[in-house]
């Protein structure tokens, strides 16, 4: 059973939106750091270019991805996992920018998760044709650690599901600068992105970046 939200009632001016007992949207929380975040993304992608990963079933993901940190999330015919090197360049991932870590740690604390120390940041780039099907973040070794997800660029329809893939998800609009934090009893909720929506963003055009910080190991 999932909470019910009005897709078009979630105004960005509402500073917090509770998704579950231990899940929260922090509206506009990343706005003061947006320029630093964009600059960090461009720097990271020079070292670790975006790529379209392949699912274990052989399909190419519509989202283009990269990572920062000692551990980067990858996918291919061998499965979903973390790896210490970029799948195309075989070079180590760039470090997570200090500003990203600080923002993620502070956001996690505001949502009730003290002591979060991410060692991986997944960078997802969405276009209007991209989507992310319902999935769980379960390749990490410690499920007591929360997930911190930062939205930049175009708005997106976020799917917030239950503990089973078959549970009907709620739909929540995420805007530029929003941060979603979930953990504890909500840590293994199914979630995804239905599609982008609204006008192109002034900084990155018809595109959305999502930074997902996790403790992988």
């Amino acid at each position: 059973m999932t909470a019910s939200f009005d897709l078009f009632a979630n105004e960005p001016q509402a500073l917090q939106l509770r998704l579950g007992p231990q899940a929260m949207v922090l509206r506009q929380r990343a706005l003061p750091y947006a320029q630093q975040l964009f600059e960090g993304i461009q720097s990271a992608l020079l070292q670790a270019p975006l790529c379209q990963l392949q699912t274990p079933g052989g399909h190419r993901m519509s989202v283009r991805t990269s990572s920062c940190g000692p551990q980067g999330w990858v996918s291919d015919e061998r499965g979903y996992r973390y790896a210490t090197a970029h799948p195309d360049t075989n070079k180590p991932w760039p470090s997570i920018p200090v500003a990203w870590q600080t923002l993620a740690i502070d956001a996690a604390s505001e949502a009730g998760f003290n002591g979060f120390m991410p060692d991986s940041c997944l960078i997802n780039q969405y276009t209007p044709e991209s989507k992310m099907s319902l999935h769980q973040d379960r390749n990490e070794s410690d499920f007591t650690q929360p997930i911190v997800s930062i939205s930049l660029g175009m708005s997106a329809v976020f799917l917030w599901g239950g503990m089973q893939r078959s549970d009907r998800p709620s739909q929540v609009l995420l805007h530029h600068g929003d941060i979603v934090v979930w953990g504890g009893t909500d840590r293994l909720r199914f979630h995804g992105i239905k599609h982008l929506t609204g006008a192109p963003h002034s900084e990155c055009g018809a595109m959305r970046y999502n930074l997902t910080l996790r403790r992988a190991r």
Side-chain angles (χ1 to χ4, degrees):
M1 188 73 175
T2 63
S4 177
F5 303 102
D6 181 348
L7 174 62
F8 299 103
N10 297 324
E11 294 297 333
Q13 289 80 12
L15 295 182
Q16 294 184 354
L17 173 67
R18 178 71 65 178
L19 298 179
Q22 293 183 279
M24 181 181 293
V25 181
L26 303 175
R27 295 290 193 195
Q28 304 183 9
R29 181 62 177 79
L31 279 186
Y33 311 93
Q35 191 59 43
Q36 286 179 276
L37 294 170
F38 277 128
E39 291 172 358
I41 289 170
Q42 298 310 314
S43 177
L45 297 185
L46 288 176
Q47 301 178 62
L50 291 164
C51 54
Q52 279 187 287
L53 298 175
Q54 179 179 302
T55 69
H59 300 288
R60 286 287 173 187
M61 299 176 67
S62 62
V63 175
R64 300 173 70 204
T65 71
S66 186
S67 285
C68 291
Q71 303 288 331
W73 187 88
V74 298
S75 174
D76 56 25
E77 67 279 357
R78 291 180 291 165
Y80 304 116
R81 64 192 185 282
Y82 284 93
T84 58
H86 189 287
D88 292 340
T89 68
N90 203 35
K91 294 180 180 179
W93 304 102
S95 299
I96 302 174
V98 173
W100 297 13
Q101 283 193 315
T102 300
L103 179 59
I105 291 167
D106 289 348
S109 180
E110 289 172 32
F113 299 98
N114 295 318
F116 178 51
M117 187 58 65
D119 62 1
S120 181
C121 179
L122 176 64
I123 304 171
N124 280 338
Q125 184 196 69
Y126 291 82
T127 66
E129 294 74 36
S130 304
K131 62 182 180 179
M132 183 72 71
S133 61
L134 287 171
H135 65 282
Q136 296 170 301
D137 289 352
R138 59 179 312 124
N139 299 121
E140 300 73 39
S141 61
D142 184 358
F143 292 158
T144 67
Q145 295 292 303
I147 306 295
V148 176
S149 177
I150 304 170
S151 293
L152 297 166
M154 284 186 67
S155 298
V157 179
F158 179 58
L159 299 174
W160 178 248
M163 296 300 179
Q164 305 296 323
R165 190 186 300 275
S166 58
D167 293 339
R168 183 177 179 179
S170 302
Q171 299 183 41
V172 182
L173 273 178
L174 294 182
H175 305 283
H176 175 65
D178 289 347
I179 300 180
V180 186
V181 182
W182 67 96
T185 58
D186 292 314
R187 174 60 176 74
L188 292 178
R189 291 263 196 169
F190 279 86
H191 57 282
I193 293 291
K194 186 176 182 181
H195 57 72
L196 304 189
T197 187
H201 190 264
S202 59
E203 181 72 25
C204 60
M207 196 174 296
R208 173 182 184 260
Y209 286 100
N210 178 240
L211 304 177
T212 305
L213 292 105
R214 309 176 177 123
R215 182 74 189 178
R217 294 289 180 264

